[in-house]
Amino acid sequence: MAQHSPAVVKEFYNKYTERQKRIGKNLRHYFLFNQIVKNGLKRRHKILEIGCGIGTFTELLADYIKSGKIVGTDISDGSIKMAEQFFSSKKNMEFFTTDMSDFSYPDKFDFIVAADVLEHIPIESHPGLFRTFAQQSHDSTTIFINIPHPLQIEILQKEAPETLQIIDQALHTDVLLKAAYEAGFILDKLTSYKLFQEHQDYQLIIFKKLRAYNHLRPTSKWSIILEKIRYRIFHFFSTI
């Protein structure tokens, strides 16, 4: 893969703002909002959104976060300027132009969100990125990541390379796990799903701090009994 300087990448995404405006919110944005709420997002939470662009997905989050805070970052200063203008009336939102290599913020975040972003950040930068995630996390922070399925990217690289962005790499699970585990995270969930294709074209990945798993939290006896009854009923009706 060709190497691109941060300045070249910034220029690409400054021009990409018009495409973001034209496309607006699509099925992926609404699906991800549904999933982030299902995975524990609360209205009081503090969110760090990586690669927020002009604020397309950010708008869905902002409608929900009432007493919390949203911090958005992007390498494109043009995108950040548009996001700041669009959300100028929101007092609980801040935006920063950064490639995340030098990012620091005084607060810890409840959710760190990278929705279709990591495939556009060079793999060699991922260890540093996850270390930044660790620095901005508390023990209960959720790292919420969505990426194109790596096989989907590989198909596009062969059949439709003109549809890809300046950096668009296939991120296989072993690569993500290595960077995340070295930074002190552990895989909590990984789901491959289909959205725009008949095959699985996206992956939703959740990481948690390893320390979050240091203590046993047994389920109540009655919850276990009720679950067993439910599965026994399912088994019974499935076999008649």
Side-chain angles (χ1 to χ4, degrees):
M1 181 181 293
Q3 297 294 315
H4 301 283
S5 70
V8 171
V9 175
K10 177 182 289 190
E11 182 181 3
F12 175 88
Y13 285 109
N14 279 342
K15 295 177 180 178
Y16 200 73
T17 56
E18 292 303 316
R19 187 172 188 273
Q20 292 182 67
K21 287 168 59 179
R22 185 172 68 252
I23 294 174
K25 290 184 281 293
N26 60 27
L27 173 61
R28 176 176 60 86
H29 298 107
Y30 288 104
F31 172 82
L32 291 179
F33 176 75
N34 174 276
Q35 291 300 308
I36 197 170
V37 173
K38 282 185 175 180
N39 279 280
L41 183 68
K42 306 299 182 186
R43 294 178 182 271
R44 67 179 186 278
H45 276 167
K46 294 177 182 177
I47 301 174
L48 173 61
E49 184 186 4
I50 314 301
C52 65
I54 65 173
T56 307
F57 184 53
T58 320
E59 185 177 6
L60 297 179
L61 297 174
D63 290 340
Y64 183 78
I65 297 297
K66 302 299 185 182
S67 57
K69 183 164 189 166
I70 298 174
V71 173
T73 71
D74 201 279
I75 194 172
S76 163
D77 51 355
S79 295
I80 290 298
K81 183 177 180 180
M82 292 179 68
E84 287 177 330
Q85 292 173 344
F86 184 78
F87 295 107
S88 59
S89 64
K90 297 280 189 179
K91 304 304 180 186
N92 64 337
M93 301 180 71
E94 285 187 86
F95 294 93
F96 298 93
T97 301
T98 174
D99 65 358
M100 296 304 295
S101 63
D102 59 349
F103 180 80
S104 180
Y105 195 79
D107 293 339
K108 306 292 187 183
F109 295 92
D110 301 295
F111 270 76
I112 296 178
V113 179
D116 293 76
V117 173
L118 295 192
E119 68 274 17
H120 306 309
I121 298 175
I123 289 175
E124 58 268 23
S125 298
H126 286 193
L129 181 65
F130 275 95
R131 286 194 295 270
T132 299
F133 290 175
Q135 292 166 4
Q136 301 298 156
S137 300
H138 52 67
D139 285 355
S140 300
T141 297
T142 297
I143 310 298
F144 183 92
I145 294 170
N146 197 71
I147 58 172
H149 195 291
L151 299 183
Q152 170 76 3
I153 291 289
E154 290 175 355
I155 291 171
L156 291 173
Q157 287 172 341
K158 294 177 182 177
E159 299 184 3
E162 71 282 356
T163 66
L164 298 174
Q165 297 179 29
I166 186 170
I167 299 173
D168 232 328
Q169 60 211 342
L171 291 180
H172 289 277
T173 306
D174 59 329
V175 174
L176 278 177
L177 288 181
K178 186 176 187 299
Y181 275 49
E182 287 176 351
F185 294 102
I186 190 168
L187 181 66
D188 188 67
K189 295 178 184 178
L190 190 154
T191 304
S192 296
Y193 66 96
K194 55 185 179 180
L195 210 59
F196 299 112
Q197 304 289 331
E198 293 184 358
H199 57 261
Q200 294 173 334
D201 52 347
Y202 283 96
Q203 288 186 327
L204 180 61
I205 304 165
I206 305 287
F207 288 108
K208 297 278 192 177
K209 276 284 190 73
L210 183 57
R211 289 195 297 274
Y213 289 84
N214 280 352
H215 304 288
L216 293 177
R217 294 184 292 273
T219 302
S220 72
K221 178 181 177 181
W222 284 110
S223 294
I224 294 172
I225 291 172
L226 290 173
E227 275 294 277
K228 182 179 178 182
I229 292 171
R230 185 169 70 88
Y231 283 119
R232 288 185 67 178
I233 292 171
F234 174 80
H235 175 263
F236 174 79
F237 283 104
S238 297
T239 54
I240 59 175

